[in-house]
Amino acid sequence: MAELVPCNCLAAADASGRMIRHKIFRRALGPKDIHISVTYSGICHSDIHTAKAEWGAKAYPLCVGHEILGRVKAVGAEVSKFKVGEAIGVGCFTDSCRTCEECGEGNEQYCSGPGGNHGTYGSARPESLHPGGVSQGGYASDFVVDENYAIRIPEKMDVAAAAPLLCAGITCFSPFIEHGLKAGQTLGVVGLGGLGHMAVKIGKAMGCEVIVFSRSSSKTEDALRLGATKVVISTDAEAMKAVSRTCHFIYNSIAFAHDVQPYLNVLRTRGTMIMVGGVPQGAMPGGTFAIIPRGLKIAGSCIGGIRETQQMIDFCAEHSILSDIELIPATPEDVDKAWERAINADVKFRFVIDTAKTLTAPDAA
Protein backbone atom coordinates (compact mmCIF):
# COMPACT_ATOMS: atom_id res chain seq x y z
CA MET A 1 0.00 0.00 0.00
CA ALA A 2 1.33 3.44 -0.96
CA GLU A 3 2.45 5.65 1.91
CA LEU A 4 1.51 9.23 2.72
CA VAL A 5 4.03 11.84 1.54
CA PRO A 6 5.69 13.73 4.44
CA CYS A 7 6.06 17.43 3.80
CA ASN A 8 7.78 20.33 5.56
CA CYS A 9 5.98 23.64 5.27
CA LEU A 10 5.37 27.11 6.62
CA ALA A 11 1.88 27.49 8.06
CA ALA A 12 -0.26 30.14 9.70
CA ALA A 13 -0.46 29.22 13.38
CA ASP A 14 -3.80 30.94 13.94
CA ALA A 15 -5.97 33.78 12.62
CA SER A 16 -3.19 36.28 13.31
CA GLY A 17 -1.48 34.82 10.22
CA ARG A 18 1.77 34.34 12.13
CA MET A 19 3.98 31.83 10.33
CA ILE A 20 5.45 28.74 11.97
CA ARG A 21 7.48 25.80 10.68
CA HIS A 22 5.20 22.80 10.45
CA LYS A 23 4.98 19.26 9.10
CA ILE A 24 2.04 17.86 7.15
CA PHE A 25 1.31 14.85 4.98
CA ARG A 26 0.13 14.71 1.40
CA ARG A 27 -2.02 11.85 0.17
CA ALA A 28 -0.37 8.68 -1.07
CA LEU A 29 0.37 8.79 -4.78
CA GLY A 30 -2.64 7.57 -6.78
CA PRO A 31 -2.63 6.25 -10.36
CA LYS A 32 -3.13 9.73 -11.88
CA ASP A 33 -1.16 11.67 -9.27
CA ILE A 34 2.09 13.58 -9.52
CA HIS A 35 4.48 14.11 -6.61
CA ILE A 36 6.06 17.54 -6.99
CA SER A 37 9.24 18.76 -5.32
CA VAL A 38 8.40 22.45 -4.82
CA THR A 39 11.04 24.98 -5.84
CA TYR A 40 9.21 28.30 -5.59
CA SER A 41 5.93 29.51 -4.12
CA GLY A 42 4.51 32.94 -4.85
CA ILE A 43 2.75 35.07 -2.25
CA CYS A 44 -0.74 36.27 -3.16
CA HIS A 45 -3.00 38.61 -1.18
CA SER A 46 -5.51 35.75 -1.09
CA ASP A 47 -3.02 33.87 1.10
CA ILE A 48 -3.14 36.68 3.62
CA HIS A 49 -6.92 37.13 3.59
CA THR A 50 -7.45 33.39 4.01
CA ALA A 51 -4.85 32.83 6.73
CA LYS A 52 -6.17 35.76 8.73
CA ALA A 53 -9.72 34.35 8.49
CA GLU A 54 -10.90 37.51 6.71
CA TRP A 55 -12.88 35.36 4.27
CA GLY A 56 -14.24 32.96 6.87
CA ALA A 57 -13.04 30.78 9.71
CA LYS A 58 -10.29 28.24 8.99
CA ALA A 59 -8.65 25.28 10.70
CA TYR A 60 -5.06 25.80 11.84
CA PRO A 61 -2.20 25.37 11.32
CA LEU A 62 -2.89 26.24 7.67
CA CYS A 63 -0.32 26.18 4.87
CA VAL A 64 -1.30 28.58 2.09
CA GLY A 65 0.14 29.38 -1.34
CA HIS A 66 -1.35 28.75 -4.80
CA GLU A 67 1.44 29.91 -7.11
CA ILE A 68 3.52 26.75 -7.08
CA LEU A 69 6.50 25.86 -9.26
CA GLY A 70 8.46 22.65 -8.96
CA ARG A 71 9.84 19.51 -10.55
CA VAL A 72 8.13 16.17 -10.98
CA LYS A 73 9.60 13.82 -8.37
CA ALA A 74 7.40 10.76 -9.00
CA VAL A 75 4.31 9.83 -11.03
CA GLY A 76 1.45 7.38 -10.60
CA ALA A 77 1.14 4.32 -12.79
CA GLU A 78 -1.40 5.90 -15.17
CA VAL A 79 0.14 9.37 -15.56
CA SER A 80 0.69 10.21 -19.23
CA LYS A 81 1.11 13.99 -19.35
CA PHE A 82 4.26 14.43 -17.25
CA LYS A 83 7.57 12.69 -16.69
CA VAL A 84 9.93 12.66 -13.73
CA GLY A 85 12.24 15.68 -13.79
CA GLU A 86 9.99 17.97 -15.81
CA ALA A 87 9.10 21.48 -14.67
CA ILE A 88 5.52 21.75 -13.45
CA GLY A 89 3.15 24.27 -11.90
CA VAL A 90 0.00 24.28 -9.77
CA GLY A 91 -2.37 27.21 -9.46
CA CYS A 92 -5.45 28.14 -7.48
CA PHE A 93 -7.33 24.83 -7.49
CA THR A 94 -6.40 21.17 -7.61
CA ASP A 95 -9.61 19.39 -8.62
CA SER A 96 -13.26 19.95 -9.56
CA CYS A 97 -16.37 17.86 -10.14
CA ARG A 98 -15.36 17.22 -13.79
CA THR A 99 -18.99 16.65 -14.82
CA CYS A 100 -20.78 20.02 -14.70
CA GLU A 101 -21.25 22.27 -17.71
CA GLU A 102 -18.50 24.63 -16.56
CA CYS A 103 -15.93 21.86 -16.14
CA GLY A 104 -16.90 20.43 -19.52
CA GLU A 105 -16.20 23.83 -21.12
CA GLY A 106 -12.79 24.11 -19.46
CA ASN A 107 -13.99 26.68 -16.91
CA GLU A 108 -13.19 24.60 -13.83
CA GLN A 109 -12.71 27.78 -11.81
CA TYR A 110 -16.49 28.22 -11.98
CA CYS A 111 -17.28 24.56 -11.19
CA SER A 112 -20.96 24.26 -10.21
CA GLY A 113 -20.74 20.67 -8.98
CA PRO A 114 -21.03 19.71 -5.31
CA GLY A 115 -18.57 21.83 -3.35
CA GLY A 116 -17.25 23.64 -6.42
CA ASN A 117 -13.58 23.46 -7.34
CA HIS A 118 -11.06 22.25 -4.78
CA GLY A 119 -9.11 25.28 -3.61
CA THR A 120 -5.38 24.64 -3.35
CA TYR A 121 -5.55 25.49 0.35
CA GLY A 122 -8.16 25.86 3.05
CA SER A 123 -10.71 23.67 1.28
CA ALA A 124 -12.52 21.07 3.40
CA ARG A 125 -12.26 17.77 1.53
CA PRO A 126 -12.22 14.02 2.26
CA GLU A 127 -9.23 12.59 4.14
CA SER A 128 -8.50 10.41 1.11
CA LEU A 129 -7.65 13.56 -0.87
CA HIS A 130 -6.16 15.70 1.88
CA PRO A 131 -4.94 14.07 5.10
CA GLY A 132 -6.43 16.08 7.92
CA GLY A 133 -9.52 16.90 5.87
CA VAL A 134 -8.31 20.32 4.64
CA SER A 135 -6.24 21.13 1.57
CA GLN A 136 -2.80 22.57 2.33
CA GLY A 137 -0.99 24.93 -0.03
CA GLY A 138 2.39 25.51 -1.57
CA TYR A 139 4.58 27.15 1.07
CA ALA A 140 5.94 23.65 1.29
CA SER A 141 8.58 21.16 0.24
CA ASP A 142 6.25 18.73 -1.56
CA PHE A 143 2.90 18.68 -3.30
CA VAL A 144 0.67 15.94 -4.73
CA VAL A 145 -1.84 16.71 -7.48
CA ASP A 146 -3.83 14.93 -10.18
CA GLU A 147 -2.10 15.35 -13.54
CA ASN A 148 -5.22 16.95 -15.02
CA TYR A 149 -4.86 19.92 -12.69
CA ALA A 150 -1.17 20.62 -13.24
CA ILE A 151 0.44 23.01 -15.72
CA ARG A 152 3.38 22.17 -17.96
CA ILE A 153 6.12 24.79 -17.49
CA PRO A 154 8.49 25.45 -20.42
CA GLU A 155 12.11 25.15 -19.32
CA LYS A 156 12.78 28.85 -19.95
CA MET A 157 9.97 29.65 -17.49
CA ASP A 158 11.30 27.51 -14.65
CA VAL A 159 12.37 30.57 -12.70
CA ALA A 160 11.06 32.23 -9.56
CA ALA A 161 9.47 35.12 -11.47
CA ALA A 162 7.14 32.72 -13.29
CA ALA A 163 5.40 31.53 -10.10
CA PRO A 164 2.98 34.51 -9.81
CA LEU A 165 1.75 33.88 -13.34
CA LEU A 166 -0.23 30.93 -11.96
CA CYS A 167 -2.55 33.39 -10.22
CA ALA A 168 -1.80 36.99 -11.23
CA GLY A 169 -1.01 36.07 -14.84
CA ILE A 170 -4.15 34.03 -15.48
CA THR A 171 -6.33 36.59 -13.66
CA CYS A 172 -5.37 39.02 -16.44
CA PHE A 173 -5.11 36.67 -19.41
CA SER A 174 -8.47 34.92 -18.94
CA PRO A 175 -10.75 37.99 -19.14
CA PHE A 176 -8.68 39.44 -21.98
CA ILE A 177 -9.36 36.31 -24.02
CA GLU A 178 -12.97 35.98 -22.87
CA HIS A 179 -13.88 39.55 -23.86
CA GLY A 180 -11.90 39.69 -27.07
CA LEU A 181 -9.07 42.11 -26.32
CA LYS A 182 -7.07 42.48 -29.53
CA ALA A 183 -4.19 44.33 -31.12
CA GLY A 184 -4.80 47.99 -31.85
CA GLN A 185 -7.26 48.50 -29.00
CA THR A 186 -6.69 50.66 -25.93
CA LEU A 187 -6.56 49.00 -22.53
CA GLY A 188 -6.81 51.00 -19.34
CA VAL A 189 -5.28 49.48 -16.21
CA VAL A 190 -6.50 50.73 -12.83
CA GLY A 191 -4.21 49.76 -9.97
CA LEU A 192 -0.54 49.06 -10.66
CA GLY A 193 0.09 46.24 -8.18
CA GLY A 194 0.58 42.50 -8.46
CA LEU A 195 -2.33 42.11 -10.88
CA GLY A 196 -2.06 45.49 -12.60
CA HIS A 197 1.60 45.15 -13.54
CA MET A 198 0.83 41.80 -15.21
CA ALA A 199 -2.12 43.37 -17.06
CA VAL A 200 0.24 45.98 -18.50
CA LYS A 201 2.75 43.37 -19.68
CA ILE A 202 0.17 41.00 -21.16
CA GLY A 203 -1.86 43.80 -22.74
CA LYS A 204 1.22 45.20 -24.43
CA ALA A 205 2.21 41.75 -25.70
CA MET A 206 -1.27 41.42 -27.21
CA GLY A 207 -0.58 44.56 -29.22
CA CYS A 208 -2.65 47.05 -27.22
CA GLU A 209 -1.98 50.63 -26.26
CA VAL A 210 -1.95 50.57 -22.46
CA ILE A 211 -2.93 53.49 -20.24
CA VAL A 212 -2.24 53.17 -16.51
CA PHE A 213 -4.46 55.10 -14.11
CA SER A 214 -2.81 55.95 -10.81
CA ARG A 215 -3.69 58.21 -7.89
CA SER A 216 -0.21 59.71 -7.87
CA SER A 217 2.76 60.18 -10.18
CA SER A 218 4.99 57.93 -8.04
CA LYS A 219 4.29 54.90 -10.25
CA THR A 220 4.83 56.66 -13.59
CA GLU A 221 8.38 55.42 -14.13
CA ASP A 222 7.45 51.83 -13.33
CA ALA A 223 4.35 51.91 -15.52
CA LEU A 224 6.29 53.15 -18.54
CA ARG A 225 9.06 50.62 -17.93
CA LEU A 226 6.51 47.82 -17.85
CA GLY A 227 5.12 48.85 -21.22
CA ALA A 228 2.43 51.46 -20.63
CA THR A 229 2.02 54.09 -23.32
CA LYS A 230 1.01 56.76 -20.85
CA VAL A 231 0.07 57.30 -17.21
CA VAL A 232 -2.96 59.34 -16.20
CA ILE A 233 -3.34 60.68 -12.67
CA SER A 234 -6.85 59.63 -11.70
CA THR A 235 -7.20 62.39 -9.09
CA ASP A 236 -6.61 65.05 -11.77
CA ALA A 237 -10.03 65.89 -13.20
CA GLU A 238 -8.62 67.61 -16.28
CA ALA A 239 -6.27 64.71 -17.05
CA MET A 240 -9.17 62.26 -16.77
CA LYS A 241 -11.33 64.45 -19.00
CA ALA A 242 -8.60 64.48 -21.64
CA VAL A 243 -8.83 60.68 -22.01
CA SER A 244 -12.62 60.50 -21.90
CA ARG A 245 -14.04 57.76 -24.16
CA THR A 246 -10.66 56.44 -25.26
CA CYS A 247 -10.45 52.94 -23.77
CA HIS A 248 -12.01 49.81 -25.25
CA PHE A 249 -11.42 48.00 -21.97
CA ILE A 250 -10.65 48.90 -18.38
CA TYR A 251 -8.95 46.30 -16.16
CA ASN A 252 -9.85 47.34 -12.63
CA SER A 253 -7.82 45.55 -9.95
CA ILE A 254 -8.48 47.96 -7.07
CA ALA A 255 -9.38 45.95 -3.97
CA PHE A 256 -10.76 48.73 -1.77
CA ALA A 257 -13.77 51.02 -1.76
CA HIS A 258 -13.74 53.42 -4.72
CA ASP A 259 -16.04 55.21 -7.13
CA VAL A 260 -15.99 53.47 -10.51
CA GLN A 261 -17.72 56.32 -12.36
CA PRO A 262 -14.51 58.18 -13.35
CA TYR A 263 -13.28 54.99 -15.02
CA LEU A 264 -16.59 54.35 -16.77
CA ASN A 265 -16.19 57.82 -18.24
CA VAL A 266 -12.97 56.85 -20.04
CA LEU A 267 -14.57 53.84 -21.73
CA ARG A 268 -15.56 54.10 -25.36
CA THR A 269 -19.21 53.45 -26.21
CA ARG A 270 -19.93 49.73 -25.66
CA GLY A 271 -16.67 49.44 -23.75
CA THR A 272 -16.13 46.91 -20.97
CA MET A 273 -14.81 47.30 -17.44
CA ILE A 274 -13.33 44.05 -16.14
CA MET A 275 -13.55 43.80 -12.37
CA VAL A 276 -11.14 41.58 -10.44
CA GLY A 277 -10.99 43.66 -7.28
CA GLY A 278 -13.85 44.73 -5.03
CA VAL A 279 -16.67 47.15 -5.81
CA PRO A 280 -18.64 47.90 -2.65
CA GLN A 281 -22.27 48.90 -2.47
CA GLY A 282 -22.64 52.52 -3.50
CA ALA A 283 -19.69 52.49 -5.91
CA MET A 284 -22.04 53.47 -8.77
CA PRO A 285 -23.97 56.50 -7.51
CA GLY A 286 -25.77 56.75 -10.85
CA GLY A 287 -26.94 53.14 -10.68
CA THR A 288 -27.52 51.34 -13.97
CA PHE A 289 -27.94 54.68 -15.74
CA ALA A 290 -24.16 54.94 -15.47
CA ILE A 291 -23.90 52.21 -18.10
CA ILE A 292 -27.20 52.04 -20.05
CA PRO A 293 -26.95 55.24 -22.16
CA ARG A 294 -23.66 54.19 -23.81
CA GLY A 295 -24.07 50.41 -23.71
CA LEU A 296 -21.21 49.96 -21.26
CA LYS A 297 -20.52 46.61 -19.66
CA ILE A 298 -19.14 45.67 -16.24
CA ALA A 299 -17.84 42.10 -16.10
CA GLY A 300 -16.46 40.08 -13.22
CA SER A 301 -13.69 37.54 -13.73
CA CYS A 302 -12.04 34.93 -11.54
CA ILE A 303 -8.69 33.32 -12.43
CA GLY A 304 -9.04 30.81 -15.32
CA GLY A 305 -9.45 27.15 -16.19
CA ILE A 306 -6.66 24.63 -16.60
CA ARG A 307 -6.60 24.75 -20.41
CA GLU A 308 -6.58 28.54 -20.38
CA THR A 309 -3.85 28.64 -17.74
CA GLN A 310 -1.68 26.45 -19.95
CA GLN A 311 -2.33 28.82 -22.85
CA MET A 312 -1.33 31.75 -20.64
CA ILE A 313 1.96 30.13 -19.61
CA ASP A 314 2.78 29.32 -23.23
CA PHE A 315 1.89 32.88 -24.30
CA CYS A 316 4.11 34.34 -21.59
CA ALA A 317 6.95 32.01 -22.61
CA GLU A 318 6.59 33.10 -26.25
CA HIS A 319 6.69 36.78 -25.27
CA SER A 320 9.23 36.42 -22.43
CA ILE A 321 6.78 37.73 -19.84
CA LEU A 322 7.59 37.25 -16.15
CA SER A 323 6.46 38.95 -12.97
CA ASP A 324 8.58 41.57 -11.24
CA ILE A 325 9.44 39.95 -7.92
CA GLU A 326 11.43 39.97 -4.72
CA LEU A 327 12.77 36.52 -3.80
CA ILE A 328 12.71 35.77 -0.07
CA PRO A 329 13.91 32.88 2.13
CA ALA A 330 11.40 30.31 3.42
CA THR A 331 11.52 31.34 7.07
CA PRO A 332 8.58 32.38 9.28
CA GLU A 333 10.24 35.72 9.96
CA ASP A 334 10.80 36.55 6.28
CA VAL A 335 7.28 35.57 5.24
CA ASP A 336 5.75 37.54 8.13
CA LYS A 337 7.68 40.62 6.99
CA ALA A 338 6.71 40.07 3.35
CA TRP A 339 3.04 39.82 4.28
CA GLU A 340 3.22 43.06 6.22
CA ARG A 341 4.89 44.78 3.29
CA ALA A 342 2.34 43.34 0.86
CA ILE A 343 -0.49 44.69 3.00
CA ASN A 344 1.17 48.12 2.82
CA ALA A 345 1.74 47.81 -0.97
CA ASP A 346 5.49 47.95 -0.33
CA VAL A 347 6.64 45.57 -3.06
CA LYS A 348 7.32 45.75 -6.79
CA PHE A 349 5.32 43.73 -7.48
CA ARG A 350 5.14 40.22 -5.96
CA PHE A 351 7.03 38.20 -3.37
CA VAL A 352 8.19 34.66 -4.14
CA ILE A 353 9.46 32.20 -1.55
CA ASP A 354 12.68 30.33 -2.39
CA THR A 355 11.28 27.08 -1.07
CA ALA A 356 13.72 24.48 -2.36
CA LYS A 357 16.86 26.21 -1.14
CA THR A 358 15.75 27.59 2.21
CA LEU A 359 12.82 25.64 3.70
CA THR A 360 13.82 23.55 6.71
CA ALA A 361 12.02 20.97 8.85
CA PRO A 362 10.39 22.10 12.13
CA ASP A 363 13.00 20.29 14.23
CA ALA A 364 15.89 21.67 12.15
CA ALA A 365 15.15 25.35 12.74
Side-chain angles (χ1 to χ4, degrees):
M1 184 176 179
E3 296 182 353
L4 297 179
V5 177
C7 174
N8 298 320
C9 70
L10 296 179
D14 49 42
S16 71
R18 178 179 59 86
M19 284 286 125
I20 59 171
R21 290 181 174 86
H22 187 51
K23 186 172 184 177
I24 58 176
F25 289 89
R26 307 293 187 184
R27 67 174 179 260
L29 211 62
K32 289 285 189 180
D33 282 341
I34 299 167
H35 178 182
I36 299 170
S37 180
V38 178
T39 51
Y40 301 107
S41 185
I43 291 177
C44 174
H45 255 286
S46 297
D47 303 347
I48 302 171
H49 291 308
T50 301
K52 290 179 176 287
E54 294 170 354
W55 289 348
K58 293 297 178 183
Y60 300 95
L62 177 65
C63 176
V64 294
H66 58 205
E67 300 173 349
I68 305 165
L69 284 184
R71 289 275 172 178
V72 178
K73 187 173 183 177
V75 298
E78 298 177 12
V79 169
S80 60
K81 298 179 180 180
F82 295 88
K83 296 179 181 178
V84 172
E86 290 184 328
I88 190 171
V90 178
C92 300
F93 56 91
T94 59
D95 210 335
S96 63
C97 80
R98 313 190 191 198
T99 59
C100 70
E101 179 180 356
E102 290 80 3
C103 286
E105 294 175 346
N107 291 315
E108 301 95 339
Q109 76 274 31
Y110 300 126
C111 175
S112 60
N117 70 59
H118 296 203
T120 302
Y121 56 78
S123 181
R125 299 294 169 182
E127 288 266 356
S128 59
L129 292 177
H130 301 291
V134 176
S135 60
Q136 302 284 346
Y139 294 10
S141 60
D142 299 83
F143 203 86
V144 173
V145 67
D146 184 291
E147 68 169 340
N148 293 300
Y149 292 82
I151 306 300
R152 183 177 301 281
I153 306 296
E155 283 298 321
K156 67 177 288 187
M157 301 294 281
D158 184 29
V159 294
L165 299 179
L166 293 161
C167 176
I170 188 59
T171 302
C172 302
F173 186 84
S174 179
F176 291 171
I177 297 300
E178 172 66 22
H179 297 288
L181 184 68
K182 58 187 178 182
Q185 294 183 326
T186 300
L187 169 68
V189 175
V190 182
L192 192 68
L195 293 176
H197 95 286
M198 290 309 309
V200 173
K201 292 186 177 190
I202 292 174
K204 180 186 178 184
M206 288 182 168
C208 297
E209 176 183 354
V210 181
I211 300 175
V212 168
F213 294 89
S214 179
R215 290 176 296 170
S216 72
S217 60
S218 62
K219 293 186 177 181
T220 297
E221 183 178 345
D222 285 323
L224 297 176
R225 173 181 59 80
L226 293 167
T229 306
K230 67 173 71 173
V231 177
V232 175
I233 307 305
S234 59
T235 53
D236 184 332
E238 288 302 312
M240 292 293 284
K241 185 177 180 180
V243 292
S244 176
R245 302 192 181 200
T246 59
C247 293
H248 295 83
F249 292 90
I250 291 285
Y251 183 83
N252 189 333
S253 64
I254 296 178
F256 54 80
H258 66 287
D259 182 0
V260 302
Q261 188 61 56
Y263 305 113
L264 292 174
N265 293 341
V266 304
L267 281 173
R268 296 165 63 101
T269 296
R270 293 191 177 275
T272 300
M273 179 180 288
I274 299 164
M275 304 299 302
V276 295
V279 179
Q281 187 175 4
M284 287 173 54
T288 56
F289 284 103
I291 59 176
I292 289 173
R294 293 201 294 122
L296 304 180
K297 297 177 285 294
I298 296 178
S301 187
C302 180
I303 51 176
I306 296 299
R307 182 172 61 242
E308 204 167 48
T309 302
Q310 187 66 66
Q311 293 171 350
M312 178 275 302
I313 286 290
D314 294 341
F315 176 89
C316 288
E318 178 184 353
H319 295 277
S320 298
I321 296 173
L322 295 167
S323 294
D324 284 23
I325 69 160
E326 285 188 37
L327 187 63
I328 65 170
T331 71
E333 297 78 16
D334 284 290
V335 173
D336 284 346
K337 291 176 183 176
W339 277 21
E340 188 63 31
R341 287 181 56 196
I343 290 169
N344 293 320
D346 180 25
V347 58
K348 295 181 180 179
F349 285 91
R350 301 285 274 210
F351 288 107
V352 174
I353 303 169
D354 193 358
T355 311
K357 293 182 180 179
T358 59
L359 181 64
T360 59
D363 55 4

